Structures are given as C-alpha cells and as structure tokens.
Amino acid sequence: MIIGGSKKDVIANIQKYANAGLLNHKVEVNDASLSRQESADLMQNYIQLTKSFKYRANNLLARAAADVLTELLNTNTTFTGLEKIRNITGRAIVTSNHFSPLENTVIRKALWQIRHRRLYIVSEDTNLLTGGPVGFLLKYYDTIPVSTDTNYIGKIFPEILRQALDNENYVLIYPEQEMWFNYAKPRPPKRGAYYYAAKFRVPIISCFVEIIELPKQDNDEFNQVKFKMHILDPIYLDPKKSVRENSIEMMHQDYQQKRNAYEQIYHKHLDYHFKMEDIVGWRGQ
C-alpha cells in the first residue's frame, strides 16, 4: 500500500543524500516544520489531550483500528528468529529499519507471535499534525512524540518512556531517525534508542525487515511488495559499564547485526552508493 502521491522527488532526495553520506537526513518533501516554540506549544497541548476522556476513548479506537490494519497488511508477511525473544516478557526497546509509515505493523504482528499485544511507537512531533485516518492513528495510537523543545525532551519524554516500560510494554524507536521510502539498506543509527535502553536497563530487540518485490503493479510508480521480519540477536547491557559505554556498544552491535542481515539476505555488500534497486518495487524513471 502506497500512502501519498508521487515518490519521484523523495527518491531523488534519497539518491542525493545517500551519495553524499548524509544517511539520516529528511527526504520527504511535504512534511510539516515547527519552530521551537511551536513544538513546545504542540507538546503542551498533546500532554493535556492525553489526560482527557476523549483521548482514552480514541486510543481504544485507534488500537482496534491498528489491529485490523496489522492483519490486513501482513497476510503474506513471514517471520524468522522469534525463538530469540520468547523469554523477553516485557520492558524492551525495539529497533528496526524505517522505510514506510506502515512497516510498524510488521513489528506489531511479530510481537503478537510471542503473545505481546501492545507496542508504543516513538514518533516525530510533526506527525501529530497529519490529517485523515492516518493522522487519527498518529495522534491517538500509543504514540510517544519527540520534540525539539528542550524541556519536553529533557524531562517529560523520558518520564513517558519510563512509564511505558515500567508497565511491561515494548517501545519501538527508529534509530535511523528519518523514513526513507522502500529503501532496502539499513542506515547508521543515532544513539538515542540505546541511551534509553541503557538508562532504563532494558534489552534491545533488534529487527530487520526485508522488502520483497512482487510481480504485480501497485501504482504507476511501484510494484507491490511483501515483508519478511528477521528477529536478530537481542542486545543486553553490561551492568558493569556506564550508560554511555553501554549505549555506544549496543548501538554498534545493533548496526553490525543489521548490516550482516542485509548482506546475507540480499547477497550484496553494503555500501551507500545509490542504485535504483535500493528502492524496492520502484518502476519509475
């Protein structure tokens, strides 16, 4: 399923930034932008919203809708490595490659296989401004927004994250930071996900989603794709090391596991010189 219009400009941005080695840059062309004050105001309003009956009611609706969407979008999705995480019963941060607004459903479906139903997702604050059905899910599903507001990100965000983990939930954080549409390669991670894993002393559930092109047209630019979720080795902190040491080591291990997974799955050496085949399913010129 392709959300949004033409991806030509997005793919042109991916090509430009990949070849320049700027692998965590924003490539979407119509994303909203907020000043620091606008972000602070948005976060204040969102926190107030989460305390309301309206939010609690819509959260139930959003979670039910996400369950239906997860089933519909993953009828052909397959999973490997589930046995590696069956003994992780709660309190974990999940990391994965970020290539679609909908690939979090793959992760949700994988966690269902180990009888874990609830997944919180860390998301950019600007996503709260999205309209339509997708916007409803982004606002009312179990979303933990990140913001450029220093007070929020320094005090409020860690507390929301801690509460979600303390309630035996998993939290999905995309360490690549920005979504690159249908981009097959894992990109170098930022340290935030691993910092919070070390700070709150929880493991990393390391995932890599393989994108498989199907011989059937989706729209004028893309063929349809399906997914295969690869659960990699979970990553545990070393209790003898500091938060900083653990976060750096966990980050490096996660990236290396994702690199290895890519090279084994696609039978290609990982480099970031752009090729059109990096965008799975792309039929455009």
Side-chain angles (χ1 to χ4, degrees), residues 1-2 5-8 10-11 14 99 181-183 213-214 216-225 276 278-284:
M1 178 187 295
I2 308 295
S6 172
K7 301 297 182 184
K8 289 182 180 178
V10 172
I11 292 171
I14 292 174
F99 58 85
F181 190 80
N182 275 27
Y183 188 71
E213 183 174 356
L214 300 174
K216 186 175 181 181
Q217 186 171 333
D218 195 325
N219 64 12
D220 290 342
E221 295 180 346
F222 283 87
N223 284 340
Q224 293 182 10
V225 299
M276 280 299 177
D278 294 343
I279 311 299
V280 181
W282 173 243
R283 299 171 50 253

Side-chain angles (χ1 to χ4, degrees), residues 17 39 54 58-59 104 112 116 145 176 195 233 243 278 281:
Y17 290 130
S39 180
K54 176 183 178 181
N58 284 338
N59 175 254
N104 63 78
W112 289 1
H116 190 94
E176 294 174 339
Y195 166 77
D233 291 339
V243 169
D278 294 343

Side-chain angles (χ1 to χ4, degrees), residues 61-79:
L61 289 174
R63 286 162 55 192
D67 284 352
V68 172
L69 192 62
T70 295
E71 289 286 11
L72 289 175
L73 294 177
N74 293 285
T75 55
N76 295 318
T77 299
T78 54
F79 308 92

Side-chain angles (χ1 to χ4, degrees), residues 91 158-159 161-162 165 195-202 237:
R91 285 182 53 81
E159 180 60 20
L161 185 59
R162 183 192 63 78
L165 292 169
Y195 166 77
Y196 289 113
K199 177 180 176 66
F200 296 120
R201 308 183 72 78
V202 300
L237 59 87

Side-chain angles (χ1 to χ4, degrees), residues 1 3 61-79 101-114 116-121 137 141-142 172 174 225-227 229:
M1 178 187 295
I3 292 179
L61 289 174
R63 286 162 55 192
D67 284 352
V68 172
L69 192 62
T70 295
E71 289 286 11
L72 289 175
L73 294 177
N74 293 285
T75 55
N76 295 318
T77 299
T78 54
F79 308 92
L102 301 172
E103 101 271 328
N104 63 78
T105 66
V106 179
I107 298 165
R108 296 180 81 243
K109 187 66 179 287
L111 297 179
W112 289 1
Q113 313 305 306
I114 60 167
H116 190 94
R117 299 290 299 188
R118 197 163 187 180
L119 175 70
Y120 284 78
I121 301 175
L137 289 175
Y141 181 71
D142 292 331
L172 170 62
Y174 289 114
V225 299
K226 67 176 182 177
F227 308 117
M229 164 61 84

